[in-house]
Amino acid sequence: MTITGECFCGEVKCRVEGSLSDARSCHCSRCRKVFSSQASAYALVDPKEFEWLSGEDLLTSYVDEQGFGFQFCSKCGSTLCGLFNGTVHGVTLGCINGDPKVKIARHIFVGSKASWEIIPEGVLQYQEGVPENE
Ligand SMILES: [Zn+2]
Ligand SMILES: [Zn+2]
């Protein structure tokens, strides 16, 4: 399938020719700040299936010491994708247009969620990350 995404101002656009996987929401304090939200909403992509359609020159990157990073629109501030070692690793679900045919399957680091957030009932929750054997 073809999945498209764009930032708030619309200058940066991307496309995935394939499917998203492992949609998750992380409630840790770092993700809250990266996503300016109560949690992340993020899904993995195959880097070979991902391309920027426009506005790539407007992208600004922030990469941490472990090689994980994010790219965001320098004009409007939307966070569009995650990076690992310089390669696109996943997309922020908030910037995806329409229905990408994935649902957030698990909520991680719920143990460090914001005091003001109420987690919906019935969702799969982990106090920290997903255990190794899952
Ligand atoms: Zn923008
Ligand atoms: Zn997190």
Side-chain angles (χ1 to χ4, degrees):
M1 67 184 286
T2 300
I3 297 162
T4 62
E6 63 186 273
C7 65
F8 181 59
C9 76
E11 299 262 346
V12 183
K13 291 182 166 51
C14 63
R15 179 171 65 196
V16 178
E17 283 296 343
S19 53
L20 306 183
S21 62
D22 197 14
R24 84 290 288 272
S25 182
C26 179
H27 300 255
C28 82
S29 60
R30 287 164 53 90
C31 288
R32 292 207 298 275
K33 292 190 194 301
V34 170
F35 285 74
S36 307
S37 185
Q38 88 283 9
S40 68
Y42 187 76
L44 305 189
V45 293
D46 181 338
K48 295 190 293 294
E49 297 175 346
F50 179 92
E51 67 175 327
W52 297 110
L53 297 178
S54 69
E56 199 174 347
D57 55 321
L58 285 172
L59 288 170
T60 300
S61 301
Y62 175 82
V63 179
D64 72 12
E65 321 76 59
Q66 281 90 42
F68 288 104
F70 290 90
Q71 283 188 298
F72 43 90
C73 174
S74 57
K75 194 169 164 187
C76 71
S78 290
T79 303
L80 288 132
C81 73
L83 299 173
F84 182 61
N85 287 337
T87 303
V88 172
H89 163 271
V91 292
T92 61
L93 290 171
C95 286
I96 296 296
N97 299 319
D99 180 2
K101 306 289 185 204
V102 286
K103 296 267 190 285
I104 289 175
R106 54 196 183 202
H107 291 255
I108 60 174
F109 288 95
V110 168
S112 49
K113 76 173 185 65
S115 59
W116 39 262
E117 186 188 9
I118 297 168
I119 307 271
E121 278 181 43
V123 300
L124 185 54
Q125 299 183 31
Y126 296 89
Q127 288 304 301
E128 294 184 347
V130 176
E132 286 292 332
N133 56 4
E134 281 191 49

